[in-house]
């Protein structure tokens, strides 16, 4: 057995103690680093540039980069209602460096495509809701001059010998699903005429090709203000400040009706809770800024922060709610 002098044992003890302290220090540094992403943050937008989801992502991404003092890169990956982007994000490394702005069409895409490549309710962790996007029923004032509210629209639709047409931005779009829910609750029928995108749909509504559209407020607002279209009902549970005189559907007799498109940030499942909480805290601070609220409002969105738990509940509730509408109304994008 080797023999050690008192001096040697004292040196060894100091060395072991130093290694232990260094280990504790390193653990502390790692814990601090674990509370925030440590590389360039990629913010994936599942739609083309220019729409409300993209605009909101860039507004929030810019402020997030400034607050975290990190680079935030917004990356547009469009296609299949956002399913292409979501499937890729679901396979990303769970470190908080890849975020996605979940919008309602992407949330609901697996209802239409069982091979979407992700499960909205299981493959991700919610970070925070960012915005609400109100939707509105508008009518062509020339074709329907007397339809000034929801009751008159329903009465007019019921009086037709065959279902009157309405349009939205596409089959399975939120406008489509919202109108299907309204018909189910109010007991009337209209014929959906789908378009590939909101711009051609609203153009043909203005032109009189179709008399009614369920549109997001961003697309419809300029034409409401110009008088080319008349807004007769808002899908939100509360009125919207930019069209304060337009009553909600619930106010007009369909109690409890609630149809709001929205967007929120998520990360892949397995991301450390400390990272999620840090990001949520930053988003809450960003959305409390008046300048950010104003910029989102200019883009047609309403800033609306909800933390990870609340956003998770909203995803679960909306996924189930609109899934029932899709099944009950036999909505298919085939």
């Amino acid at each position: 057995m080797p023999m050690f002098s008192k001096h040697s044992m004292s040196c060894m003890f100091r060395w072991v103690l130093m290694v232990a302290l260094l280990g504790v220090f390193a653990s502390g540094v790692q814990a601090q680093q674990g509370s925030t992403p440590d590389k360039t943050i990629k913010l994936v937008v599942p739609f083309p540039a220019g729409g409300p989801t993209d605009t909101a992502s860039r507004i929030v991404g810019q402020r997030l980069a400034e607050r975290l003092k990190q680079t935030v890169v917004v990356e547009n990956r469009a296609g299949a209602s956002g399913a292409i982007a979501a499937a890729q994000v679901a396979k990303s490394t769970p470190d908080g460096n890849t975020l996605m702005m979940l919008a309602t069409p992407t949330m609901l895409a697996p209802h239409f495509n069982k091979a979407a490549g992700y499960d909205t309710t299981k493959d991700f962790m919610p970070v925070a809701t960012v915005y609400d996007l109100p939707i509105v029923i508008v009518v062509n004032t020339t074709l329907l001059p007397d339809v000034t509210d929801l009751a008159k629209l329903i009465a007019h639709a019921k009086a037709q010998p065959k279902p009157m047409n309405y349009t939205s931005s596409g089959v399975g779009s939120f406008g489509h699903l919202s109108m299907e829910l309204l018909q189910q609750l109010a007991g009337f029928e209209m014929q959906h005429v789908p378009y590939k995108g909101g711009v051609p749909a609203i153009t043909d509504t203005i032109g009189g090709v179709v008399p009614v559209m369920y549109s997001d407020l961003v697309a419809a607002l300029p034409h409401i203000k110009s008088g080319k279209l008349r807004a007769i009902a808002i899908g939100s549970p509360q009125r919207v400040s930019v069209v304060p005189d337009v009553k909600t559907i619930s106010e007009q007799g369909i109690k409890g009706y609630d149809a709001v498109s929205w967007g929120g940030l998520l990360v892949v499942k397995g991301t450390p809770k400390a990272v999620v909480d840090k990001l949520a805290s930053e988003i809450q601070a960003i959305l409390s800024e008046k300048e950010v609220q104003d910029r989102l409002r200019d883009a047609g969105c309403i800033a609306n922060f909800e933390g990870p738990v609340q956003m998770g509940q909203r995803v679960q509730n909306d996924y189930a709610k609109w899934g029932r509408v899709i099944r009950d109304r036999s909505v298919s994008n085939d």
Side-chain angles (χ1 to χ4, degrees):
M1 180 176 179
M3 301 296 291
F4 297 98
S5 67
K6 290 182 179 181
H7 177 72
S8 298
M9 293 185 69
S10 176
C11 290
M12 183 178 294
F13 174 77
R14 288 197 297 271
W15 180 79
V16 170
L17 179 61
M18 180 178 69
V19 171
L21 290 173
L22 285 171
V24 171
F25 175 75
S27 297
V29 170
Q30 289 176 347
Q32 287 182 336
Q33 290 177 338
S35 66
T36 184
D38 58 3
K39 299 186 296 185
T40 295
I41 297 174
K42 183 189 298 181
L43 174 48
V44 178
V45 179
F47 299 101
T53 302
D54 175 72
T55 302
S57 298
R58 292 179 187 278
I59 292 170
V60 171
Q62 176 188 351
R63 288 296 294 123
L64 187 63
E66 292 167 354
R67 290 181 62 88
L68 293 179
K69 295 179 172 58
Q70 291 176 244
T71 301
V72 176
V73 177
V74 176
E75 181 177 303
N76 297 88
R77 295 185 194 171
S81 297
I84 293 174
Q88 292 174 341
V89 171
K91 298 174 184 177
S92 63
T93 303
D95 55 10
N97 293 305
T98 300
L99 301 170
M100 186 179 81
M101 185 67 80
L102 177 70
T104 303
T106 308
M107 176 178 64
L108 300 179
H111 281 303
F112 296 103
N113 180 10
K114 301 304 180 184
Y118 64 97
D119 186 319
T120 306
T121 62
K122 296 179 181 179
D123 291 341
F124 305 102
M125 296 176 67
V127 174
T129 63
V130 173
Y131 67 86
D132 285 347
L133 180 59
I135 53 176
V136 60
I137 299 176
V138 292
V139 300
N140 180 292
T141 56
T142 301
L143 295 178
L144 299 175
D146 299 325
V147 174
T148 55
D149 59 29
L150 183 60
K152 291 177 180 177
L153 174 65
I154 294 172
H156 184 84
K158 287 182 175 181
Q160 304 309 303
K162 61 180 182 179
M164 66 182 292
N165 292 335
Y166 81 92
T167 188
S168 75
S169 60
V171 175
S173 67
F174 196 63
H176 179 198
L177 298 181
S178 299
M179 185 64 93
E180 292 300 311
L181 176 61
L182 176 60
Q183 292 175 84
Q184 185 179 40
L185 295 177
F188 72 105
E189 293 295 329
M190 296 178 70
Q191 177 63 47
H192 184 225
V193 180
Y195 279 73
K196 293 184 177 180
V199 173
I202 209 159
T203 298
D204 274 8
T205 306
I206 294 169
V209 178
V210 285
V212 181
M213 180 176 178
Y214 212 144
S215 170
D216 70 67
L217 191 55
V218 175
L221 188 58
H223 310 295
I224 294 169
K225 289 183 174 180
S226 71
K228 293 178 180 178
L229 295 174
R230 177 186 297 123
I232 63 168
I234 287 284
S236 311
Q238 296 86 31
R239 295 196 194 190
V240 178
S241 60
V242 292
V243 283
D245 296 330
V246 181
K247 293 182 179 180
T248 69
I249 290 175
S250 182
E251 282 182 292
Q252 298 186 65
I254 313 300
K255 299 300 182 184
Y257 184 93
D258 182 354
V260 180
S261 186
W262 58 278
L265 292 171
L266 52 71
V267 291
V268 68
K269 185 178 180 180
T271 300
K273 184 177 183 298
V275 172
V276 173
D277 290 344
K278 172 63 175 176
L279 289 169
S281 176
E282 293 296 333
I283 298 303
Q284 183 176 23
I286 289 168
L287 294 179
S288 70
E289 298 174 7
K290 185 178 184 304
E291 180 183 355
V292 170
Q293 294 172 2
D294 291 344
R295 290 177 67 192
L296 287 172
R297 188 179 300 109
D298 290 343
C301 304
I302 298 173
N304 180 28
F305 171 82
E306 294 172 316
V309 173
Q310 292 84 356
M311 179 179 168
Q313 292 172 342
R314 193 172 189 182
V315 169
Q316 294 282 347
N317 293 341
D318 276 12
Y319 191 78
K321 170 183 175 177
W322 295 109
R324 287 192 297 271
V325 173
I326 291 166
R327 291 190 298 273
D328 292 347
R329 301 290 294 181
S330 300
V331 179
S332 172
N333 60 3
D334 293 336

